[in-house]
């Protein structure tokens, strides 16, 4: 496990569809209070396409103030588009942006804990980097793969999962600070490699 | 007399094509290959034996999650797949192409060629819209597939597919080209079903199950419950 000087939680909604219920739950006073209690100082949110104005409104509703200091632009991979706020009387720093080309580097270099939507890409990003992960299932999507994959990974002990609600998020946050996950197995498989080369050179 | 001649001619041609079809469809010959493979004693021998001719590989990038899984597959098996090979990349969105360009920066010894494919089916398209785009895609993709297929003649090659609807069209053209061009060696197609598919195969998967040389799933229950001929090696991405 890496040592990150600023205890940071990273919330990612995936590249394509925004996930408003997750964002509003994460920005709720109760959840932020809980974060502070567990020593988190920074909250990084990748909120998805075209959700910027709504995000701005949400933060301001919760008393967030725009700030302009030491954003780790290089590591965020989102250009100049990142916005920074101070929340909960300056006890929590919030950084938000639409999209990042360096999600993996954010996870590896900046995050102690990740909350992600239940897309396989986002799940693998965290698990392959051995970062503890809470998976939040988007129940407003019309396909149940996300639920299935989340349930499966919970059953195998690789992640915690929650619904996009404040109480459910808090329960998972508590679990993440007190329990340990099972290690995710490595992906290289020599039988599959043999099968591939068998097909190639047949 | 003339009709009898014509009928028998048609019959002979028809039989020839049925025989050809049987020859190119995978489920008639997969068994023999696995046996041969075990006798040869694994991949190391194979790779060394054929190392004079670099691999030509085709991958299709779907979008978002499919592209992500494909990049992970290539990364995990880079020694086999990206070792001075020529990579033909099919894509239908710019974001995937960009991700691939970025990914290939680490593999400068590979040659890369990009081919744009129209999307076979938008995620939320109506039936009529789907029919329209599918016909458009059919025509445009044939040109691409034919180019790629003939570039792969006589060298070790692989078509690695993993999801979106366009993969069906690509496989269909591949098999059709093989059916018509009798002297062509069989195209080697491996399909890896998405990690998101735990209990039921995708529509693409259901179709390609009957077409591809090797069908690989990432969950045991998917193989056991739905696709007994599929192979399962655990999570590969």
């Amino acid at each position: 496990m890496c040592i990150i000087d600023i205890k940071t939680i990273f919330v990612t909604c995936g590249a394509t569809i925004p996930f408003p219920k997750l964002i509003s739950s994460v920005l709720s006073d109760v959840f932020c209070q809980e974060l502070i209690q567990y020593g988190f100082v920074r909250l990084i949110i990748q909120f998805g396409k075209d959700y910027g104005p709504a995000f701005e409104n949400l933060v301001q509703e919760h008393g967030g103030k725009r700030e302009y200091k030491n954003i780790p632009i290089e590591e965020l991979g989102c250009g100049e588009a990142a916005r920074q706020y101070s929340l909960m009387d300056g006890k929590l720093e919030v950084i938000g942006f639409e999209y990042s080309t360096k999600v993996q580097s954010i996870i590896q270099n900046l995050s102690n804990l990740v909350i992600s939507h239940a897309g396989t890409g986002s799940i693998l990003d965290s698990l392959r980097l051995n970062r503890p992960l809470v998976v939040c299932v988007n129940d407003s999507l019309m396909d149940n793969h996300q639920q299935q994959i989340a349930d499966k990974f919970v059953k195998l002990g690789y992640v915690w999962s929650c619904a996009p609600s404040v109480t459910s998020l808090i329960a998972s946050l508590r679990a993440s600070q007190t329990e340990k996950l099972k290690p995710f197995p490595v992906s290289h498989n020599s039988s599959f490699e043999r099968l591939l080369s068998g097909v190639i050179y047949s | 007399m003339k009709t009898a001649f014509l009928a028998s001619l048609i019959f002979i041609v028809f039989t020839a094509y049925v025989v050809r079809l049987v020859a190119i469809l995978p489920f008639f010959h997969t068994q023999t290959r696995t046996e041969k493979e075990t006798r040869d004693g694994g991949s190391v021998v194979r790779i060394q034996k054929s190392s004079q001719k670099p691999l030509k590989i085709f991958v299709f990038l779907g979008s978002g999650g499919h592209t992500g899984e494909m990049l992970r597959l290539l990364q995990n098996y880079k020694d086999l797949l990206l070792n001075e090979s020529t990579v033909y990349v099919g894509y239908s969105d710019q974001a995937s192409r960009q991700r691939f360009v970025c990914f290939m920066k680490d593999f400068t010894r590979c040659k890369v060629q990009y081919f744009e494919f129209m999307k076979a089916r938008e995620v939320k398209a109506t039936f009529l819209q789907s029919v329209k785009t599918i016909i458009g895609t059919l025509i445009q993709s044939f040109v691409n597939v034919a180019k790629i297929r003939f570039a792969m003649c006589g060298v070790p090659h692989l078509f690695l597919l993993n999801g979106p609807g366009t993969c069906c069209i690509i496989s269909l053209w591949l098999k059709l080209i093989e059916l018509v061009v009798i002297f062509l060696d069989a195209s080697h197609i491996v399909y890896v079903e998405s990690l998101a598919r735990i209990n039921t195969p995708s529509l693409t998967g259901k179709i390609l199950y009957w077409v591809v040389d090797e069908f690989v799933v990432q969950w045991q229950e998917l193989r056991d419950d739905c696709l007994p001929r599929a192979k399962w090696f655990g999570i590969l991405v």
Side-chain angles (χ1 to χ4, degrees), chain A residues 2 7 18 55 129-130 136-137 193:
Chain A
C2 72
K7 194 167 178 186
F55 178 78
L129 295 166
N130 296 315
C136 187
V137 178
E193 190 165 45

Side-chain angles (χ1 to χ4, degrees), chain A residues 125 128 152 187-189 199, chain B residues 72 76-77 221 233 237:
Chain A
D125 278 341
R128 290 275 166 243
K152 188 75 194 179
S187 57
H188 189 272
N189 182 298
V199 172
Chain B
R72 284 172 198 280
N76 289 340
Y77 302 96
E221 45 269 60
F233 304 100
V237 290

Side-chain angles (χ1 to χ4, degrees), chain A residues 132-201:
Chain A
L133 172 68
V134 174
V135 164
C136 187
V137 178
N138 194 347
D139 50 9
S140 63
L141 289 181
M142 284 306 287
D143 81 79
N144 61 354
H145 296 145
Q146 292 214 341
Q147 187 68 56
Q148 283 177 11
I149 198 96
D151 291 347
K152 188 75 194 179
F153 274 76
V154 169
K155 211 172 139 199
L156 293 166
Y158 301 145
V159 302
W160 298 283
S161 88
C162 67
S165 73
V166 179
T167 41
S168 182
L169 268 165
I170 288 178
S172 297
L173 178 68
R174 283 185 184 150
S176 77
Q177 300 303 298
T178 48
E179 297 165 18
K180 274 220 148 32
L181 294 168
K182 288 218 179 89
F184 193 54
V186 291
S187 57
H188 189 272
N189 182 298
S190 48
S191 304
F192 177 66
E193 190 165 45
R194 257 201 303 285
L195 172 118
L196 279 181
S197 78
V199 172
I200 291 171
Y201 298 108

Side-chain angles (χ1 to χ4, degrees), chain A residues 19 23 36-37 56 67 79 85 87 90 103 108 135 138 183 185 193 199-200:
Chain A
F19 194 173
I23 303 299
I36 293 165
Q37 203 184 313
E56 179 110 28
E67 282 197 338
Y85 306 87
L87 211 64
V103 168
Q108 186 156 35
V135 164
N138 194 347
E193 190 165 45
V199 172
I200 291 171

Side-chain angles (χ1 to χ4, degrees), chain A residues 194-195 198, chain B residues 30-43 45-46:
Chain A
R194 257 201 303 285
L195 172 118
Chain B
T30 36
Q31 208 51 48
T32 49
R33 176 171 36 230
T34 14
E35 276 163 25
K36 204 170 71 192
E37 202 182 322
T38 35
R39 247 186 287 134
D40 269 20
S43 61
V45 188
R46 268 167 199 286

